[in-house]
């Protein structure tokens, strides 16, 4: 993406459906037999299309209906699905691990190549496997492929997660849906995506009860039925455009948001002196007379500050007044974007899991490379605020999580162009 920076963004855009919510909700269809799961507000992204391909490879027919005002997918599931997950497709993204629980619960066995994804540090699936073992699964890993099987059906158990892993919570919730008896999972992830998954499971007949103390209770049933659910708005995309508006000193509105999902970010932006207002499902960003104040940020599992918005916040703080710090407590390699921002004139020093950001008055355009999805977003919004021309290479990462980002930015007045 070639960006001519320094232009304040102006206008209104609408938030896309959440990628991180859509992937597990799509995997729910694998619990069905001879029935249909229909999902609304599914974004058109590389990772979504990879998940569609994975699900279709197992024998499901995905009917995709997209138009200007509609984004719907109907998954028509046959009476029998395959249990061997495609190696080529699975290695394309981390989200392929979400097939583990539903396929095992439905077929009694599954072979899943260890997944790929962004290079942001180790993201093992040991918590997924540990929970499935507690439910009676036999698991072996050979040549990078997970082989899991169960005699009869999985059994409901009380499971305590050592860490509130989002993926492990989602996999075990889906596995428990067809297990024999009741499953209680404690210390679960509390992200909004978990609520969306619970709603999807309820819509096909699974009794799911989320507890406010960080637990979930699921009563396994013999079979599920057809259902219809909507994917929640993407809080990470929302925050990216919020920070783009702030960095360019623009005046933008973002519609179809859920304010409670972004409380942690809004609190930090208020602390930094950003000018914005929130009403129902709309946030409006106003031009500010002064640069952001320096702040300290630490990423945490939800409802803490999200690691997926950390690089974008790092970009915004690179032009704040004074010294800010960001501590990354979720992924080890989240700071790869810092050296790219430094090419643009930022002053960021990394010491293990802490970034010390000395704000500069303005960034300058440069050739930079997106090392992962959120790093790419950070570099794009940095380029929008920078003086001169910025070229962001390896946009393939960005297409994994941002639908039509070039068109949305152009609608806000940005001068961006896709080039080969």
């Amino acid at each position: 993406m070639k960006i001519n920076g320094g232009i304040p963004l102006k206008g209104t855009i609408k938030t896309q459906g959440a990628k991180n919510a859509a992937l597990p909700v799509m995997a729910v269809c694998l619990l069905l037999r001879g029935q249909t799961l229909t999902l609304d507000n599914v974004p058109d992204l590389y990772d979504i299309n990879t998940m569609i391909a994975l699900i279709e490879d197992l024998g499901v027919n995905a009917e995709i209906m997209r138009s200007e005002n509609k984004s719907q997918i109907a998954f028509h599931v046959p009476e029998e699905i395959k249990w061997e997950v495609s190696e080529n497709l699975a290695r394309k993204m981390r989200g392929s691990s979400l097939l583990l629980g539903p396929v095992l619960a439905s077929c009694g066995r599954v072979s899943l190549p260890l997944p790929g994804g962004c290079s942001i540090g180790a993201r093992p699936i040991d918590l997924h496997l540990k929970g499935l073992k507690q439910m009676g699964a036999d698991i072996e890993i050979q040549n990078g492929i997970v082989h899991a099987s169960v005699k009869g059906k999985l059994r409901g158990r009380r499971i305590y997660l050592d860490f509130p892993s989002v993926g492990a919570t989602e996999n075990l919730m889906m596995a428990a849906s067809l297990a024999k008896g009741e499953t209680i999972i404690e210390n679960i992830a509390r992200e909004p995506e978990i609520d969306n998954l619970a709603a999807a499971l309820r819509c096909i007949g699974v009794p799911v009860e989320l507890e406010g103390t960080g637990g979930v209770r699921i009563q396994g049933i013999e079979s599920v039925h057809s259902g219809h659910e909507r994917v929640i708005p993407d809080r990470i995309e929302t925050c990216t455009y919020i920070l783009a508006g702030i960095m360019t000193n623009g005046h933008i509105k973002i519609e179809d948001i859920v304010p409670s999902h972004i409380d942690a970010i809004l609190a930090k932006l208020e602390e930094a002196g950003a000018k914005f207002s929130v009403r129902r499902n709309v946030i409006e960003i106003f031009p500010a007379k002064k640069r952001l104040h320096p702040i300290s940020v630490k990423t945490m599992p939800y409802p803490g500050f999200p690691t997926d918005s950390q690089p974008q916040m790092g970009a915004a703080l690179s032009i704040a007044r004074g010294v800010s710090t960001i501590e990354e407590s979720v992924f080890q390699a989240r700071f790869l974007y810092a050296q790219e921002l430094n090419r643009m004139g930022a002053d960021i020093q990394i010491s293990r899991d802490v970034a010390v950001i000395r704000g500069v008055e303005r960034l300058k355009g440069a050739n930079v490379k997106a090392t992962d999805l959120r790093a790419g977003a950070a570099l794009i919004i940095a380029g929008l605020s920078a003086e001169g021309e910025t070229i962001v290479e390896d946009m393939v990462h960005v297409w994994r999580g941002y639908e039509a980002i070039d068109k949305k930015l152009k609608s806000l007045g940005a001068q961006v162009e896709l080039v080969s």
Side-chain angles (χ1 to χ4, degrees):
M1 179 180 283
K2 184 164 68 174
I3 305 166
N4 183 24
I7 301 170
L9 299 183
K10 295 179 182 178
T12 302
I13 56 172
K14 183 179 178 182
T15 301
Q16 68 185 36
K19 181 198 83 161
N20 289 340
L23 294 176
V25 168
M26 291 164 68
V28 165
C29 77
L30 299 170
L31 298 170
L32 276 62
R33 283 291 180 271
Q35 294 150 331
T36 299
L37 176 66
T38 304
L39 301 177
D40 294 327
N41 202 33
V42 182
D44 186 7
L45 304 167
Y46 277 14
D47 277 7
I48 296 296
N49 293 329
T50 299
M51 180 62 91
I52 292 171
L54 279 161
I55 291 172
E56 286 194 316
D57 190 65
L58 295 175
V60 177
N61 175 31
E63 182 184 1
I64 304 171
M65 295 155 277
R66 296 198 191 278
S67 65
E68 188 174 339
N69 300 312
K70 184 177 182 180
S71 182
Q72 186 182 84
I73 303 178
F75 293 97
H76 306 289
V77 187
E79 290 293 339
E80 297 291 333
I81 62 171
K82 294 190 289 184
W83 51 270
E84 292 179 292
V85 178
S86 164
E87 183 169 357
N88 288 337
L89 293 171
R91 298 203 188 282
K92 287 187 176 182
M93 69 166 187
R94 169 73 181 177
S96 60
S97 64
L98 293 168
L99 304 182
L100 189 62
V103 174
L104 176 61
S106 188
C107 299
R109 57 180 176 172
V110 61
S111 289
L112 175 79
L114 290 171
C118 280
S119 301
I120 54 175
R123 295 193 283 180
I125 61 170
D126 54 333
L127 293 180
H128 309 227
L129 303 181
K130 181 180 177 182
L132 292 173
K133 283 181 180 179
Q134 287 180 260
M135 298 176 73
D138 294 317
I139 297 175
E140 292 183 356
I141 300 179
Q142 297 177 338
N143 301 320
I145 298 177
V146 177
H147 300 279
S149 62
V150 62
K151 295 177 181 177
K153 298 187 71 173
L154 293 169
R155 297 185 297 276
R157 294 289 302 273
R158 180 181 291 272
I159 300 169
Y160 180 86
L161 295 177
D162 296 330
F163 178 83
S165 159
V166 176
T169 300
E170 292 166 342
N171 246 327
L172 296 177
M173 285 175 65
M174 289 186 279
S177 299
L178 296 181
K180 186 176 181 180
E182 183 180 74
T183 298
I184 298 173
I185 312 170
E186 296 176 310
N187 195 33
I188 64 168
R190 299 167 68 180
E191 275 76 356
E193 291 79 8
I194 301 300
D195 295 316
N196 206 177
L197 175 60
L201 292 173
R202 291 190 198 104
C203 87
I204 61 171
V206 181
V208 180
E209 183 182 345
L210 286 167
E211 300 171 357
T213 54
V216 62
R217 186 185 301 265
I218 299 173
Q219 183 64 47
I221 57 178
E222 281 293 324
S223 62
V224 297
H225 54 67
S226 295
H228 194 148
E229 190 54 55
R230 184 178 190 269
V231 175
I232 60 175
D234 194 318
R235 59 197 171 98
I236 306 303
E237 190 212 27
T238 297
C239 293
T240 301
Y241 285 109
I242 288 172
L243 290 165
I246 290 170
M247 285 197 75
T248 62
N249 205 29
H251 185 188
I252 66 173
K253 290 182 183 179
I254 306 170
E255 299 177 337
D256 197 19
I257 72 164
V258 182
S260 61
H261 291 177
I262 57 174
D263 276 344
I265 287 181
L266 295 183
K268 282 297 176 184
L269 290 177
E270 189 172 16
E271 180 185 341
K275 305 299 180 184
F276 62 89
S277 68
V278 180
R279 4 181 241 286
R280 296 184 66 182
N281 66 339
V282 177
I283 184 168
E284 185 171 3
I285 310 301
F286 300 101
K289 295 179 181 179
K290 297 180 180 179
R291 290 155 58 195
L292 294 178
H293 308 311
I295 56 174
S296 295
V297 175
K298 181 178 181 180
T299 63
M300 299 283 286
Y302 189 87
F305 193 95
T307 182
D308 279 353
S309 291
Q310 185 260 97
Q312 301 93 302
M313 180 60 86
L317 294 176
S318 72
I319 55 172
R321 289 185 294 115
V323 181
S324 301
T325 60
I326 297 180
E327 182 179 352
E328 175 58 55
S329 68
V330 181
F331 293 133
Q332 301 111 315
R334 265 292 190 211
F335 288 129
L336 295 178
Y337 70 90
Q339 62 185 5
E340 300 301 306
L341 282 180
N342 285 346
R343 291 174 184 264
M344 302 176 69
D347 184 355
I348 306 175
Q349 301 298 320
I350 307 298
S351 178
R352 301 185 70 177
D353 57 357
V354 175
V356 177
I357 305 173
R358 292 175 174 82
V360 298
E361 188 169 342
R362 191 160 191 181
L363 299 175
K364 296 185 178 181
N367 280 29
V368 292
K369 183 174 291 188
T371 53
D372 61 73
L373 167 56
R374 306 305 173 185
L379 296 173
I380 288 172
I381 64 175
L384 292 171
S385 75
E387 185 179 86
E389 183 180 274
T390 297
I391 294 181
V392 181
E393 299 177 9
D394 287 356
M395 280 288 292
V396 64
H397 293 295
V398 178
W399 299 128
R400 291 184 47 234
Y402 292 90
E403 182 178 29
I405 188 171
D406 55 324
K407 295 182 177 65
K408 282 191 174 182
L409 290 175
K410 285 179 180 178
S411 75
L412 295 174
Q415 292 187 7
V416 299
E417 180 187 358
L418 298 178
V419 295
S420 59

